[in-house]
Amino acid sequence: MRIVVKVGTSTLAHSTGRMNIRHVEELVKVLSDLKNAGHEVILVSSGAIGMGVGKLNLPGKPTDMPTKQAAAAVGQCELMYTYDRLFLQYNHTVAQILLTGEDVDDQQRRENFENTLERLLELGALPIINENDTVATAEIKVGDNDTLGAIVAKCAKAELLVLLSDIEGLYTADPRKDPAAKLIPVVEEVTPDIETLAGGVGSGLATGGMATKLRAAKMVNAVGCDMIITNGEHPEVLYDIAEGKAVGTRFIGKK
Ligand code: GLU
């Protein structure tokens, strides 16, 4: 199976912006094992800005563009250094790809990206993708990594996109506010009714929320790719997902 796993800042970093070592180490171990089992894995990783905040000892998530971009430049290094080191323990080679919206809108550049991705997978490497936050301005920004994950899944013609988040999946109401909220295990189609279930953006250092996740689902489902939202707290759920077990909320791709 060719699978794109998107991991959010809320999984990779503590609210201080410092790395969540336990989560990152578990994620690397499970992804390495999935590769060993013969799956093709592509990782879309957030956390550049969050980890830059931690490393530069900034008081919180910056609001101005130059500080955000400076934090991303610092944090992206930290992120790739860590992935490189940890994946090496399991004998896997990582490759960094940084994209902007412009890169995938332009046909030639998108094809270059797709060809590189394909070749990296053939060579057995594990592509790790993030937005090129240091150059992306509002006009050319993808904006959030849920959407970036969907773009990557489409370009890679993946069978499955998994969004590892700080929430179990899509609920009938906001579970942080309503204790009666129930997890929806399967969504056959993202209808307007489903869309009204999505609240605003997440909290802290994270960027996306349920709305960006539903948009991602629509994008990949339209090309026949399934999408799962699940909690990144325990990356071992990826084993269940690879075995086809029910985890989180699965959005079914059009077949
Ligand atoms: N590209 C941003 C970062 O790495 C994250 C965007 C997102 O999480 O949606 O910090």
Side-chain angles (χ1 to χ4, degrees):
M1 180 163 62
R2 182 171 289 189
I3 161 170
V4 175
V5 177
K6 178 261 169 176
V7 58
T9 304
S10 56
T11 301
L12 296 170
H14 292 284
S15 54
T16 54
R18 295 281 175 179
M19 180 173 296
N20 188 320
I21 296 171
R22 184 167 55 99
H23 284 175
V24 175
E25 287 191 343
E26 281 178 13
L27 177 71
V28 167
K29 188 172 161 187
V30 176
L31 293 181
S32 296
D33 212 10
L34 290 180
K35 271 181 74 63
N36 288 352
H39 299 291
E40 290 180 319
V41 180
I42 299 169
L43 180 61
V44 173
S45 178
S46 304
I49 297 174
M51 277 179 209
V53 167
K55 224 169 173 203
L56 292 167
N57 289 316
L58 301 177
K61 187 172 178 175
T63 47
D64 66 294
M65 206 51 150
T67 314
K68 264 191 203 171
Q69 295 183 312
V74 170
Q76 183 66 27
C77 278
E78 163 95 341
L79 210 52
M80 287 311 296
Y81 168 70
T82 306
Y83 282 132
D84 193 24
R85 206 165 37 82
L86 294 178
F87 276 109
L88 197 63
Q89 289 178 354
Y90 300 104
N91 222 2
H92 287 295
T93 299
V94 299
Q96 172 182 263
I97 302 181
L98 297 176
L99 291 175
T100 64
E102 226 177 15
D103 297 325
V104 283
D105 288 344
D106 180 277
Q107 193 190 338
Q108 183 62 56
R109 284 159 79 164
R110 190 180 60 243
E111 277 172 22
N112 291 343
F113 164 56
E114 289 171 359
N115 293 340
T116 306
L117 207 51
E118 207 57 52
R119 191 72 187 115
L120 282 168
L121 293 172
E122 277 167 19
L123 292 167
L126 193 152
I128 301 182
I129 304 175
N130 196 358
E131 179 139 26
N132 195 349
D133 291 309
T134 54
V135 299
T137 56
E139 302 77 56
I140 60 165
K141 222 170 160 23
V142 175
D144 67 87
N145 276 9
D146 296 326
T147 309
L148 183 65
I151 291 171
V152 169
K154 277 176 72 173
C155 288
K157 298 184 180 58
E159 283 144 273
L160 181 65
L161 167 65
V162 180
L163 304 182
L164 293 179
S165 181
D166 57 354
I167 188 159
E168 304 303 322
L170 181 67
Y171 283 81
T172 51
D174 187 345
R176 287 161 186 148
K177 294 183 194 137
D178 183 351
K182 284 201 178 59
L183 181 76
I184 303 173
V186 176
V187 174
E188 299 283 350
E189 197 189 346
V190 182
T191 58
D193 279 353
I194 293 285
E195 282 177 301
T196 55
L197 296 177
V201 296
S203 57
L205 293 166
T207 304
M210 201 43 82
T212 57
K213 291 178 178 48
L214 293 187
R215 194 171 59 210
K218 276 173 131 176
M219 285 172 67
V220 297
N221 286 170
V223 295
C225 171
D226 281 11
M227 188 187 97
I228 291 175
I229 302 175
T230 188
N231 201 321
E233 180 80 32
H234 304 291
E236 290 84 5
V237 294
L238 289 166
Y239 287 124
D240 292 338
I241 291 173
E243 286 168 17
K245 292 188 186 147
V247 168
T249 302
R250 180 183 279 261
F251 298 79
I252 310 290
K254 284 201 176 56
K255 297 284 148 33

